[in-house]
Amino acid sequence: MQEASPAATDVQVRDLPQVRATANLLIAVGILELVYGQWTAPPGQLKLDIMWLAVGLALYFGNAKLIAVIRWMALFAVVPAVVMPVQQLLLAPLELTMVQLRLYPAQVLLFFVPLLITAALVSFVAWRLNSEPVKSVLRAHGRTPAGPVVPAVLGLLVIIGSTAFLHRTLDGPDAAQAAEMAAKRFGTKYKYFTNRLHVVSNKGTTVYATVQMWNDHEALQVPVQWSR
């Protein structure tokens, strides 16, 4: 049985260059995210977007156990994070996406850029924490780093399942009813697509939906709701 060397055991995982550089990057991104979130928040409201800051601080100060957990979660999240922008493109009608891109390119970029940044950051964290020096020191501290296959496959199953669920929901009877209600209000000069549904059951069932409506000249969205 091979024992960890004293030198490897004395090294803290958080002090490795791979971990420390990753922590510094996430802390910087987290601070920018926090400032941007508060800058874009509605007047009088406090918006605390601290996910990247929290992960960065956890890597900076965390022990081997915590860093091993973050490593596993990063490996798990890689596939969903990378596929998410594609998922969002595939769920909406292509014609609607093209109209939005032509008429409101800034809004489309503001929607997709955070998704692309998240995909890049998650991939970077997974790559750095899955490096051999990090895994070696984790082993020296009694942690057994999981291989990347299992968390990656689980992440793939999650994104496939969520995509199937969203597709079935947005193509189901509630979505069709929402689009029909919007069409009755605004007429045939628009095309309609229900992009959000929320069902609340409290002394009856209320369905809240957001319907996107578009033609060659504009793209709008309207909220609808009904009880059943």
Side-chain angles (χ1 to χ4, degrees), residues 209-225:
T210 302
V211 178
Q212 292 182 307
M213 35 192 271
W214 77 97
N215 54 32
D216 289 338
H217 308 291
E218 59 183 343
L220 309 168
Q221 63 180 20
V222 58
V224 298
Q225 70 178 75

Side-chain angles (χ1 to χ4, degrees), residues 81-191:
V82 170
V83 175
M84 184 68 71
V86 180
Q87 180 201 66
Q88 295 302 307
L89 282 173
L90 294 178
L91 286 174
L94 179 60
E95 181 184 355
L96 170 60
T97 302
M98 298 305 295
V99 168
Q100 290 175 323
L101 187 59
R102 176 169 54 84
L103 297 177
Y104 316 109
Q107 294 182 17
V108 175
L109 287 176
L110 285 176
F111 178 79
F112 280 101
V113 166
L115 297 179
L116 296 174
I117 291 175
T118 297
L121 285 174
V122 170
S123 300
F124 179 78
V125 173
W127 170 58
R128 296 294 273 178
L129 297 188
N130 195 49
S131 63
E132 191 54 43
V134 174
K135 292 189 290 185
S136 178
V137 177
L138 285 174
R139 294 188 196 99
H141 284 269
R143 316 308 305 178
T144 303
V149 175
V150 171
V153 169
L154 290 175
L156 176 63
L157 293 176
V158 167
I159 193 66
I160 291 174
S162 66
T163 302
F165 173 78
L166 286 172
H167 178 74
R168 184 171 63 250
T169 300
L170 299 181
D171 197 38
D174 284 337
Q177 181 171 345
E180 183 180 350
M181 292 174 65
K184 287 181 179 179
R185 289 172 58 187
F186 297 97
T188 58
K189 67 178 181 176
Y190 295 104
K191 296 179 181 179

Side-chain angles (χ1 to χ4, degrees), residues 17-106:
Q18 294 86 348
V19 178
R20 186 52 55 93
T22 303
N24 290 336
L25 173 64
L26 296 185
I27 289 171
V29 172
I31 292 173
L32 292 175
E33 180 185 42
L34 188 61
V35 172
Y36 177 77
Q38 189 55 42
W39 180 55
T40 57
Q45 293 187 18
L46 185 63
K47 186 178 180 182
L48 296 177
D49 295 324
I50 60 171
M51 183 187 73
W52 293 118
L53 180 59
V55 176
L57 291 173
L59 288 175
Y60 197 92
F61 295 106
N63 56 20
K65 181 179 180 180
L66 180 56
I67 292 173
V69 171
I70 295 173
R71 173 185 172 274
W72 194 97
M73 293 301 297
L75 293 171
F76 168 79
V78 164
V79 175
V82 170
V83 175
M84 184 68 71
V86 180
Q87 180 201 66
Q88 295 302 307
L89 282 173
L90 294 178
L91 286 174
L94 179 60
E95 181 184 355
L96 170 60
T97 302
M98 298 305 295
V99 168
Q100 290 175 323
L101 187 59
R102 176 169 54 84
L103 297 177
Y104 316 109

